[in-house]
Amino acid sequence: MPSNQAPKLRFNCYLLRPGITNVEIALRPKYRPGGATQLKRIPAITATLGGAVAYVGESVEKTPKWAENLDRTFPGVGALVTRSNRMVIFLPAGERWFAVCFGYGAGVLEWDRIEANFGLRVAARKFDHEAVTELRSRRIDASARTQLVQIPSGTELRDLGVQLDGEFVRRMAGRIAASDGSGLSGPIAASDSIAFRSQTDLAHVQQVLRQLLTDIETTAAQDEFEFIDSLEPLRESEQETKDLNDSLAKSILDPQETGTPYLLEFAPPDDVQIDEVEEIIATRGDKSETLEEYTVHGLRKALQTLGVRRGTNFLTNVRLMAKGPEGEPKSMMLPLKQWVIFESGHEDFRFVLTIGRWFRLKEAYTQKLNLDLAGIHDVTALLNLPPSYLGEPEGSYNERAAAGTPNLLLMDKVNIQTTDGNRFEACDLLHCDGYLVHVKRYTGSQTLSHLFSQGAVSAELLNEDAVAREDFSNQVLQRNDGREISWESSPRSVTYAIISPTGRTIPADLPTFSKVNLRDFARRLRRMSFEPSIAAIPLVAEV
């Protein structure tokens, strides 16, 4: 390295929230001046950094536990000591402040003072979508699936089948094109913070951070990363989260008090298979109550019996567990908050509770999502499927629908052979116009996730497996007892037929992340040259 070139360090930069002028409040109380372990304050000696100041601390030397325990076997190991150092530089950039952390510096920050997702918002605008090297995320629906993808050389995530819509992304790593103009180059890591390597020239780092602020305020995210830019997780300690918990609690206990929320549903966690559940027990202290029905109404009645009348503590101290026919656990004992989905919003943001966490979603994203879903063909009138009765099993409904409709053929529980010897159900009902109809009663996001996936997997196998196509055709011919159903080629339309109470509009009244899931699977179907469609089946009392 030339002697006149400063060495490079890795800078990990967090953006403080707007309006903060006294940077000390961004430190946890015990690290502030006068705190139990206050940090040493060191102002910058140059005025060009606009009042930058550093806070430095170090822990006392201590012997690691493992060294203490192993000293009896390996004498002398117990003399080892460790010391951790931490440093935070508060660096101004325009009217905002950044916390630049070294060592264990991030551990001294008061997280409520840090702007969430800043690094990811930068990545959504700056990353080369074909050079992503790492992604850590969790699916925001009832499946709550987590994933970690690492590609040392970098690639396009779509090549790996990764869709970012509906993903709670916690970290991304990748590269920014040298022609970007932001002053960043080389590998970049993004989460709440942005981490990059740069020369140890704080004036240059300050310039880079100013430019990043300008970029996220004046430019839109790339299409591939739009969802990342639109979603922000809320921290439990934030006042906004506390207000949302209050609204949720009132909506559960007394819906008349707050008016009707945008959406409130009882939604068992993903590990709960409802068809295997005999009962769901709600517990509060030493009291317990069985839910009469797996709905918000059933939950309200159980809470009344348990003596819950007001407040928000019941969201966490009331716990639910699903049990099977023999009383065996069919789920973990989880706080009530993880058994409901709640949405509310206004013209700028939508707030969503799912998988037990609160998220803020830009309303512009929701509007675009609804517009995209409007492109999915609604075939309710065309198929003219009969209503489903309360308490009627899906299998019984399928049999009744096929028996009473000449244009439908019953394919429920008909196993189709594949090339590798596996079997699958191609659909529940086959319509004479080639619609593969998959039927599911809407009991929450989990059932919809299963429905959407079932339709896509069926289409993929019929599209790619010649043995499956031939066996499906044969099965149709065997069951086509004089009906007006002909079969000459594979069907090219997948219909999601959703049984739901009268008055619910499908898909407009679905939870946001079920809509995201539906759009994702619709895109997958179109890539396979299948046309996705929706049909609503009203749920009525039997007459």
Side-chain angles (χ1 to χ4, degrees):
M1 178 182 294
S3 59
N4 63 346
Q5 185 174 356
K8 288 188 175 183
L9 289 180
R10 185 173 179 81
F11 290 83
N12 194 23
C13 308
Y14 295 86
L15 176 63
L16 304 193
R17 290 196 162 185
I20 293 179
T21 55
N22 176 16
V23 296
E24 288 180 353
I25 68 171
L27 299 173
R28 292 165 58 193
K30 70 176 183 178
Y31 295 112
R32 298 171 190 169
T37 53
Q38 66 178 359
L39 303 179
K40 181 180 180 181
R41 183 178 187 275
I42 307 176
I45 61 173
T46 173
T48 59
L49 295 180
V53 60
Y55 289 83
V56 181
E58 61 181 23
S59 64
V60 297
E61 292 183 347
K62 62 180 181 180
T63 300
K65 285 292 184 183
W66 57 264
E68 292 178 359
N69 294 334
L70 292 174
D71 189 66
R72 293 187 293 272
T73 306
F74 302 99
V77 171
L80 296 175
V81 295
T82 60
R83 178 187 292 272
S84 58
N85 300 301
R86 50 179 61 94
M87 179 176 180
V88 178
I89 300 173
F90 289 107
L91 193 63
E95 297 181 355
R96 303 290 293 274
W97 286 85
F98 281 88
V100 184
C101 300
F102 299 92
Y104 290 85
V108 309
L109 297 177
E110 183 71 69
W111 291 109
D112 286 352
R113 310 294 184 178
I114 303 301
E115 186 162 303
N117 277 25
F118 167 71
L120 290 170
R121 293 188 66 198
V122 172
R125 290 158 175 78
K126 298 291 186 181
F127 271 18
D128 181 347
H129 63 87
E130 295 183 349
V132 175
T133 58
E134 180 181 331
L135 170 72
R136 298 183 185 182
S137 68
R138 186 178 187 184
R139 190 74 184 171
I140 310 181
D141 60 15
S143 69
R145 183 263 300 130
T146 60
Q147 66 175 340
L148 168 60
V149 180
Q150 293 178 306
I151 316 101
S153 59
T155 190
E156 186 166 3
L157 290 175
R158 288 184 179 179
D159 292 342
L160 301 177
V162 175
Q163 295 286 340
L164 295 183
D165 275 10
E167 295 285 336
F168 170 32
V169 176
R170 294 308 304 132
R171 174 183 165 89
M172 287 182 68
R175 295 182 179 274
I176 294 176
S179 59
D180 171 74
S182 63
L184 292 175
S185 61
I188 311 295
S191 54
D192 285 338
S193 66
I194 188 79
F196 56 90
R197 294 183 66 84
S198 177
Q199 295 178 2
T200 52
D201 177 356
L202 287 179
H204 172 69
V205 173
Q206 191 177 43
Q207 180 181 354
V208 169
L209 294 176
R210 283 198 193 103
Q211 184 61 50
L212 294 181
L213 269 178
T214 299
D215 289 341
I216 65 172
E217 291 170 357
T218 60
T219 61
Q222 301 177 67
D223 290 343
E224 292 83 357
F225 302 129
E226 181 185 15
F227 188 79
I228 293 176
D229 189 59
S230 300
L231 184 74
E232 179 185 354
L234 302 182
R235 297 190 173 97
E236 282 299 315
S237 56
E238 292 184 48
Q239 184 59 47
E240 195 163 43
T241 300
K242 296 175 182 178
D243 293 341
L244 288 166
N245 283 335
D246 184 62
S247 179
L248 169 64
K250 290 178 179 177
S251 296
I252 292 175
L253 296 177
D254 187 1
Q256 302 304 318
E257 183 175 339
T258 57
T260 303
Y262 175 77
L263 184 144
L264 172 63
E265 290 186 357
F266 184 78
D270 186 55
D271 66 336
V272 179
Q273 301 296 324
I274 288 295
D275 57 349
E276 300 177 359
V277 172
E278 183 70 20
E279 60 182 6
I280 296 179
I281 307 295
T283 302
R284 183 190 186 205
D286 58 355
K287 297 180 179 180
S288 63
E289 180 66 19
T290 301
L291 271 65
E292 295 181 2
E293 56 185 57
Y294 308 150
T295 63
V296 174
H297 177 70
L299 179 62
R300 287 191 183 113
K301 293 189 66 174
L303 293 176
Q304 290 172 1
T305 303
L306 293 174
V308 175
R309 297 291 182 268
R310 63 180 65 86
T312 61
N313 290 339
F314 76 90
L315 296 174
T316 53
N317 64 27
V318 171
R319 294 174 174 267
L320 279 69
M321 174 184 280
K323 293 186 177 182
E326 304 300 324
E328 73 279 15
K330 288 295 183 179
S331 76
M332 298 174 63
M333 180 74 78
L334 296 172
L336 182 153
K337 197 175 178 181
Q338 296 194 33
W339 292 75
V340 294
I341 291 174
F342 182 84
E343 290 190 21
S344 63
H346 49 68
E347 62 184 9
D348 294 323
F349 294 102
R350 183 162 304 280
F351 298 98
V352 183
L353 174 73
T354 183
I355 62 175
R357 296 196 62 172
W358 285 105
F359 297 87
R360 181 193 292 114
L361 184 66
K362 291 180 182 177
E363 189 64 21
Y365 180 88
T366 301
Q367 293 170 1
K368 184 177 184 300
L369 175 61
N370 289 336
L371 184 63
D372 291 343
L373 292 181
I376 298 178
H377 192 199
D378 186 337
V379 295
T380 301
L382 187 151
L383 299 186
N384 194 27
L385 298 171
S388 176
Y389 300 138
L390 290 170
E392 182 181 31
E394 289 170 10
S396 299
Y397 171 81
N398 292 332
E399 292 176 5
R400 182 168 60 83
T405 309
N407 292 335
L408 290 176
L409 186 66
L410 179 65
M411 297 297 292
D412 187 16
K413 300 181 178 62
V414 177
N415 291 320
I416 306 303
Q417 180 81 38
T418 64
T419 300
D420 57 10
N422 291 325
R423 293 182 177 275
F424 72 102
E425 290 185 20
C427 59
D428 294 312
L429 300 166
L430 175 65
H431 189 269
C432 66
D433 291 332
Y435 292 90
L436 290 162
V437 182
H438 297 265
V439 178
K440 186 69 67 176
R441 173 171 284 120
Y442 175 41
T443 57
S445 297
Q446 180 189 21
T447 58
L448 293 184
S449 295
H450 177 72
L451 174 68
F452 300 152
S453 176
Q454 186 181 47
V457 170
S458 168
E460 183 176 9
L461 289 170
L462 290 177
N463 198 49
E464 299 179 358
D465 193 318
V467 171
R469 285 198 301 274
E470 182 178 1
D471 189 38
F472 184 56
S473 179
N474 290 335
Q475 296 288 353
V476 170
L477 290 173
Q478 291 175 22
R479 289 162 175 77
N480 192 356
D481 50 357
R483 294 169 181 246
E484 296 298 325
I485 298 178
S486 61
W487 188 257
E488 297 178 355
S489 61
S490 297
R492 306 312 301 179
S493 183
V494 171
T495 301
Y496 295 121
I498 300 173
I499 302 171
S500 61
T502 303
R504 180 186 290 272
T505 302
I506 303 295
D509 291 340
L510 296 179
T512 292
F513 292 112
S514 292
K515 293 180 182 180
V516 170
N517 216 5
L518 173 58
R519 183 174 66 176
D520 178 28
F521 279 105
R523 288 171 174 172
R524 289 172 58 178
L525 288 169
R526 289 184 179 118
R527 286 197 293 270
M528 293 184 286
S529 298
F530 277 80
E531 182 60 32
S533 56
I534 284 284
I537 301 174
L539 182 63
V540 301
E542 187 172 0
V543 294

